[in-house]
Amino acid sequence: MPSMSMLTLILTLALQSTMTGFTPDQLWQNWPDERFVQSPAPCLRPADLSSELQRLADLYPDTIELEEIGRSFQGRPIHMVTLGHGSRTVLLWSQMHGDEPSATPALLDIADFLLSRAGEPEAAAILDDLTLLIIPMLNPDGSQIYERRNQQAIDINRDALQLTTPEGQILKRIRDEYEPMFAFNLHDQDRRMAVGDTGVLATNSVLAVSGDAEGTVTPGRARAKRACSAIAVTLAQFVPGGVARFNEDWNPRAFGDNITAWGTPVVLIETGGLPPGRDLEDLTRLNFVAILTVLQELARNDLEDYDPEVYENLLRNQRDAWADVVVLGGSIQQPRGTSSYRADLAFNIEVDDRAAAGCATGYDLRSYIADIGDARFLGAGRVVDAGESLLVAPFAVGVEGWKARRWLSAEMLSEAARLGVGTVFWKVSPQKTSAAKTLADGLAGAGRARLEVISKQAEMPWVTLDGPPGRAQSDLLADVIEALVGTKGGRQKMSPLTLDQLCWVPESGSHQPVLRRGRPASFVLLTPAKDGQIDPATTHLAAVFINGIDVKAGSR
């Protein structure tokens, strides 16, 4: 029997063959050249949006209405764009959470797309049948600082009943004044949500929002289910298997649920993550295609061609079912532990959307171990086959004396990391501690060993360096150690060498596993190794991850 993703794709192609207006494929292909807002969604601040809205109004002075419908808690304007002149009103609002911007520029792109084609039958059919009320940024204060909540520290989307926030009051007033027949509530979800247990990222999740805990299906909510089916089949060709059903059916405090209860059925679109290698701006592009397609089908025949069962059969979106990197098949040896044990390791790398979009700098890369145990069923952006490798904490080495500052550098710390070193402990006199810490802070960077300043001999690792490391002749541990300590008299013992000596941790951390959930993803893979004993002549340094970066391979 074909899978649901295959069925939705088949239905998509069948529907497109009979469509008389613009097709999803045409919208997808045209968007890069015809998009109105050129800025990536995470880069669009409130002042930028105001400028873009004014530019839109200046382009179409006779066919668009731009108005300020209120002010945020900090006094920033909240705008609404009105276009179309149909008897049926559709409300669309975005970014009530300040750090969820993917749909915001898509709404302006849609307005420009329709108005620039107002003389063509496809766009005219929408503008003649529908009146669109567009609130592109309900939470400008949150957007300004790129945070979820408003400046009262309140989640606007949980303020539908109490109406403490001015932003929530504005949305309620617009809903009551215009009584739309349909609405879109546009959000971003966790970028690592998955489609059920398929291991596929939920790039979009949809919900025909219920107006009560019982899930009553009114004619309006039935229309919302057909709209969700339309979104699922529309996006199937662009993100195969990547559309899910949102995993919450009813929230008594949320705006979508209450607006449905007040008589305006709501479709929730939650934009999630993209498969590795895809452009972040595809998230806005997908919103553009999905929403325009639903509007066209609403105007054409009230979405009658779409079976609500497609929506009903969508798998729910699911947390903790995806990781950026999964290391499969190895065994873990904790410092000061007992014996090794079979376990997979999964970790994530946090990248701020603004940094990914190129409009923010200064954000430190942060990784964290998401799980240790059985990770074989996780979806992953990258899978590392550990084979028979042993996963251990990164190596620790020591450096003594203030004079070492002459050769402690970013390049040295990067080279040490490639040799498996996670931390370089730098012992200086108490009088030099402050200056040494300032230097250490300046040398911190992604993919480098961490330079930690200490002042007690008891805190020094077993292996010490007398100068910068050289280049290892091979990945044999003997060559790696030789590259680290050289022949200048550094403290070393080539054999026997225990992991506790090489992967040294301070006494204060001896009772806690170094590799554990929530800690940075820094570890090395050694092969072969047995029972905590390693033979430098036969053990290889297979991989090195420092804070999520594969420094040996030069990738993440």
Side-chain angles (χ1 to χ4, degrees), residues 370-387:
D371 200 10
I372 289 177
D374 186 351
R376 78 185 93 174
F377 300 109
L378 288 179
R382 178 187 175 192
V383 175
V384 176
D385 182 3

Side-chain angles (χ1 to χ4, degrees), residues 16 42 142-143 184 201 206 240 248 277 308 331 396 437 473 482 507 526:
Q16 288 191 21
S143 171
F184 287 91
L201 281 174
V206 293
E248 181 180 72
S331 297
K437 286 182 177 179
Q473 294 182 1
E482 181 66 27
E507 287 287 347
L526 299 175

Side-chain angles (χ1 to χ4, degrees), residues 15 19 22-24 27 88 90-92 110 114 122 125-126 129-130 132 181-186 206 220 222-235 265-269 286-306:
L15 284 168
M19 290 176 70
F22 36 77
T23 67
L27 296 174
R88 301 194 297 168
V90 177
L91 172 64
L92 307 95
I110 289 168
L114 292 174
E122 296 86 354
I126 296 174
D129 184 70
L130 305 175
L132 306 181
M181 54 78 67
F182 198 73
F184 287 91
N185 183 12
L186 304 170
V206 293
R223 178 188 293 117
K225 289 187 177 187
R226 296 196 298 274
C228 289
S229 294
I231 294 169
V233 299
T234 295
L235 301 186
V266 173
V267 165
L268 170 71
I269 300 179
L286 289 164
N287 274 277
F288 172 80
V289 173
I291 295 168
L292 255 177
T293 298
V294 172
L295 293 177
Q296 176 177 246
E297 296 303 296
L298 269 173
R300 189 166 70 90
N301 64 0
D302 206 30
L303 295 153
E304 288 299 330
D305 292 336
Y306 292 88

Side-chain angles (χ1 to χ4, degrees), residues 31-106:
W31 181 83
D33 294 327
E34 299 188 15
R35 57 190 289 196
F36 181 80
V37 179
Q38 296 298 314
S39 298
C43 305
L44 198 64
R45 301 276 72 81
D48 303 323
L49 177 67
S50 294
S51 297
E52 295 285 14
L53 286 170
Q54 189 59 56
R55 184 165 71 91
L56 188 68
D58 292 343
L59 274 175
Y60 308 105
D62 300 324
T63 52
I64 196 172
E65 180 182 355
L66 173 63
E67 59 181 313
E68 181 182 309
I69 54 174
R71 294 257 166 172
S72 68
F73 184 74
Q74 286 190 323
R76 290 185 173 88
I78 297 173
H79 296 101
M80 184 170 76
V81 173
T82 304
L83 62 149
H85 40 268
S87 59
R88 301 194 297 168
T89 301
V90 177
L91 172 64
L92 307 95
W93 76 91
S94 180
Q95 218 166 341
M96 68 192 312
H97 294 144
D99 58 353
E100 299 180 10
S102 292
T104 296

Side-chain angles (χ1 to χ4, degrees), residues 301-377:
N301 64 0
D302 206 30
L303 295 153
E304 288 299 330
D305 292 336
Y306 292 88
D307 184 352
E309 285 300 308
V310 172
Y311 163 70
E312 298 285 5
N313 291 325
L314 290 174
L315 296 176
R316 302 280 183 147
N317 59 359
Q318 182 175 324
R319 293 185 185 276
D320 300 324
W322 171 277
D324 292 340
V325 181
V326 172
V327 183
L328 293 177
S331 297
I332 290 178
Q333 175 73 53
Q334 299 283 4
R336 302 182 189 274
T338 53
S339 59
S340 62
Y341 49 91
R342 166 72 183 88
D344 304 321
L345 184 147
F347 69 86
N348 294 323
I349 303 166
E350 292 294 350
V351 179
D352 187 280
D353 280 350
R354 292 167 293 177
C359 55
T361 58
Y363 290 94
D364 292 333
L365 182 75
R366 189 179 76 85
S367 68
Y368 63 92
I369 295 174
D371 200 10
I372 289 177
D374 186 351
R376 78 185 93 174
F377 300 109

Side-chain angles (χ1 to χ4, degrees), residues 3 101 146 205 213 230 269 307 383 392 402 409 441 460 484 496 510 549:
S3 65
Y146 214 68
S205 296
I269 300 179
D307 184 352
V383 175
V392 301
W402 176 242
S409 65
D441 289 343
M460 281 289 285
L484 281 171
S510 63
I549 297 179

Side-chain angles (χ1 to χ4, degrees), residues 50-224:
S50 294
S51 297
E52 295 285 14
L53 286 170
Q54 189 59 56
R55 184 165 71 91
L56 188 68
D58 292 343
L59 274 175
Y60 308 105
D62 300 324
T63 52
I64 196 172
E65 180 182 355
L66 173 63
E67 59 181 313
E68 181 182 309
I69 54 174
R71 294 257 166 172
S72 68
F73 184 74
Q74 286 190 323
R76 290 185 173 88
I78 297 173
H79 296 101
M80 184 170 76
V81 173
T82 304
L83 62 149
H85 40 268
S87 59
R88 301 194 297 168
T89 301
V90 177
L91 172 64
L92 307 95
W93 76 91
S94 180
Q95 218 166 341
M96 68 192 312
H97 294 144
D99 58 353
E100 299 180 10
S102 292
T104 296
L107 293 177
L108 276 67
D109 295 342
I110 289 168
D112 175 66
F113 181 90
L114 292 174
L115 294 175
S116 66
R117 291 166 170 78
E120 300 174 11
E122 296 86 354
I126 296 174
L127 297 171
D128 289 344
D129 184 70
L130 305 175
T131 296
L132 306 181
L133 310 176
I134 299 174
I135 305 174
M137 186 182 286
L138 186 65
N139 183 6
D141 295 348
S143 171
Q144 182 66 31
I145 57 176
Y146 214 68
E147 289 186 2
R148 177 183 177 90
R149 295 172 179 249
N150 79 341
Q151 279 299 303
Q152 295 165 283
I154 293 175
D155 184 338
I156 298 170
N157 200 30
R158 302 294 183 266
D159 188 39
L161 299 180
Q162 192 157 297
L163 293 175
T164 298
T165 63
E167 299 89 352
Q169 294 167 17
I170 290 167
L171 183 58
K172 176 69 161 64
R173 173 171 55 80
I174 293 298
R175 207 300 315 175
D176 291 349
E177 179 178 345
Y178 290 91
E179 296 185 338
M181 54 78 67
F182 198 73
F184 287 91
N185 183 12
L186 304 170
H187 288 260
D188 286 66
Q189 65 183 6
D190 187 328
R191 298 277 186 248
R192 295 184 183 87
M193 282 284 196
V195 179
D197 59 0
T198 64
V200 178
L201 281 174
T203 301
N204 293 92
S205 296
V206 293
L207 182 69
V209 183
S210 178
D212 55 39
E214 292 73 30
T216 302
V217 180
T218 63
R221 187 156 180 254
R223 178 188 293 117

